[in-house]
Amino acid sequence: MSALIKPTAQTQTVLDRPFQLLIDGAWSDSKSGETLDVVNPADGSVIAKIPAGTEQDVDRAVVAARLAFEAGAWARMTPGDRAKLLWRIADLIEARKEEFAELETLDNGKPITMSTWVDVPAAVAALRYWAGWCTKIAGETRAVDMPGEFVAMTLREPVGVVGLITPWNFPLMSAVSKLGPALAAGCTVILKPAEQTSLTALRLGEVLLDADVPPGVVNIITGLGSVVGAAIAEHGGVDKISFTGSTAVGKSLIGAARGNLKRLTLELGGKSPTIIFPDADLESAIAGAGNSIFRNSGQICVAGSRLYVARNQFDQVVDGLVKFASEFKLGPGLDPATTMGPLVSDAQHGRVLDYIASARAEGASVISGGNAFGTEGYFVEPTIIGDVNPQMRVVQEEIFGPVLVATAVDDLDELAALANDSIYGLSASIWTQDISSAYKLAKKIRAGTITINSGSIAGPNLPFGGFKQSGWGRENGADGIESFTELKTVITAL
Ligand code: NAD
């Protein structure tokens, strides 16, 4: 680990404990006894080991989750008591917020300012939001169009045992944004965090025990996606998968879920456009576009990775973005001065650099950045690429790194077609002072979230998900909670 920046003693104590799997309310080693290294992406050092879960571990977790779902304290718990439990979990995370933030930064690489001010508070707020839903899940009464007298009603019941599979870019937030509605709805879960960033999920497991979550309600199985994730996806005892990750893995889950026709919510990749109209407030638009693609080192599913600007303003906007990019301070996330951390892993570092190389090979020009940064860790300079055409890989494929591709637009009537020229449809952002143009374009863009004169905004009450190959279903809000329920119709003849 970098000699100069060390975690606090409290966080080091957590790292020094042996990490285990949480199954049926107790910690245990993986069946294989094998572990995976936890690597600090700021310097490549191994900072801990986590269990490499197996199919048998998943099996044990599913049995525990099924038992807890059908009988025992959880099955009998009132909605109000579930709400108190979620609130208690939020309080316990908040009480340990510095430690959660440090673990997230060490594991993922993101700046400590971001973990402290975004990831951890957002996770706490989300749990409190979902606590409120426990007592508000409701059905409806319906008319029956038949001779005779009837009462017909719908009931919303928990979908059952749910597999929650999460990615590495916002580990705690992703886990909580699935755990909150799953528990609010009364489900039991198997949580499988990304193998690159499992520390905050495992620490969350300790919090769940401290909060007295009944055994079997939340099981946490770390390990490889191809082993643990695949076993959850294939398991006949799992009723639903809520997955956030790549489109490729999302597609593989469709096949895996076939056996018992699991319900699937898929939050997948994106290649989101940022569109700047000539009348936009350019200073805000440049800052918004820059933040959108460079925050969290570009590892954000809604990152505005394609920029479209009118040709006569292209140089001015790109110059502004080059300056914006040059002001990031790259460094280890634990350094409070760092504003851009490393990419999450050696593999992701290689992948992003390969994309930049492909752009050069296909004839694009690297306007700024374009290189690895520093002598240790997985840093990539914030990068802006111009002279692109719509067929290039960097324009079509999700890079998931700090790489912006900029296109000069000659005909503003083409903006909708350019924005929609993607297999993805996760989000888009539009910058203009003419709200009518903004709405007209927003209606034409096929994406799940559109922001106008703002970078990405998310929250547990704002439905979130993708059109096209960005996914199936919506998380958050009423739609999010409903996705963890089954709808039952009960008709009574009077
Ligand atoms: P990934 O698909 O490789 O992994 C995501 C999770 O799936 C991990 O927990 C992984 O272990 C697991 N997994 C891998 N193979 C599996 C398999 N065969 N069966 C079951 N599970 C498996 O994605 P990633 O590289 O961790 O994350 C980056 C991707 O996630 C990007 O494409 C990004 O856009 C996407 N993402 C989407 C959203 C969203 O809300 N739409 C949010 C964050 C990230």
Side-chain angles (χ1 to χ4, degrees), residues 316-329:
Q316 187 187 355
V317 169
V318 168
D319 287 350
L321 278 161
V322 169
K323 180 166 180 299
F324 188 89
S326 72
E327 286 165 3
F328 278 95
K329 182 172 180 318

Side-chain angles (χ1 to χ4, degrees), residues 77-91 131 134 211:
M77 196 178 284
T78 63
D81 283 344
R82 286 208 303 274
K84 281 189 209 152
L85 195 56
L86 281 173
W87 201 273
R88 198 151 65 233
I89 298 166
D91 286 346
C134 297

Side-chain angles (χ1 to χ4, degrees), residues 247 266-270 423-426 465-472:
T247 293
L266 302 175
E267 297 290 351
L268 309 177
I423 60 164
Y424 298 110
L426 196 56
F467 282 41
K468 300 193 273 183
Q469 295 190 34
S470 288
W472 277 355

Side-chain angles (χ1 to χ4, degrees), residues 86-269:
L86 281 173
W87 201 273
R88 198 151 65 233
I89 298 166
D91 286 346
L92 288 173
I93 296 175
E94 196 169 49
R96 296 163 192 178
K97 58 181 189 242
E98 289 87 6
E99 189 190 311
F100 269 99
E102 279 203 340
L103 284 175
E104 203 72 305
T105 285
L106 278 167
D107 211 3
N108 166 280
K110 65 179 66 198
I112 189 70
T113 44
M114 185 174 207
S115 312
T116 303
W117 299 111
V118 180
D119 294 59
V120 178
V124 170
L127 282 165
R128 291 184 179 144
Y129 170 83
W130 292 114
W133 265 103
C134 297
T135 50
K136 293 160 196 76
I137 299 169
E140 297 173 341
T141 55
R142 294 289 173 100
V144 176
D145 188 19
M146 300 269 281
E149 244 190 295
F150 297 89
V151 173
M153 62 181 171
T154 58
L155 303 176
R156 285 225 167 254
E157 298 183 350
V159 68
V161 174
V162 184
L164 311 177
I165 303 178
T166 57
W168 41 255
N169 56 340
F170 288 92
L172 181 66
M173 274 168 72
S174 300
V176 158
S177 69
K178 295 182 186 303
L179 196 62
L183 297 186
C187 299
T188 58
V189 312
I190 295 109
L191 169 63
K192 187 258 174 264
E195 49 270 46
Q196 300 85 347
T197 55
S198 294
L199 295 183
T200 48
L202 290 167
R203 189 71 182 99
L204 176 65
E206 295 175 342
V207 162
L208 298 175
L209 295 186
D210 291 348
D212 287 331
V213 173
V217 173
V218 180
N219 304 275
I220 303 175
I221 311 288
T222 54
L224 294 176
S226 54
V227 178
V228 175
I232 296 171
E234 298 268 353
H235 205 293
V238 174
D239 300 298
K240 173 190 163 84
I241 301 281
S242 174
F243 172 81
T244 300
S246 61
T247 293
V249 173
K251 286 182 182 175
S252 80
L253 298 186
I254 298 170
R258 272 173 60 175
N260 65 338
L261 280 184
K262 281 179 194 67
R263 280 66 181 129
L264 281 180
T265 302
L266 302 175
E267 297 290 351
L268 309 177

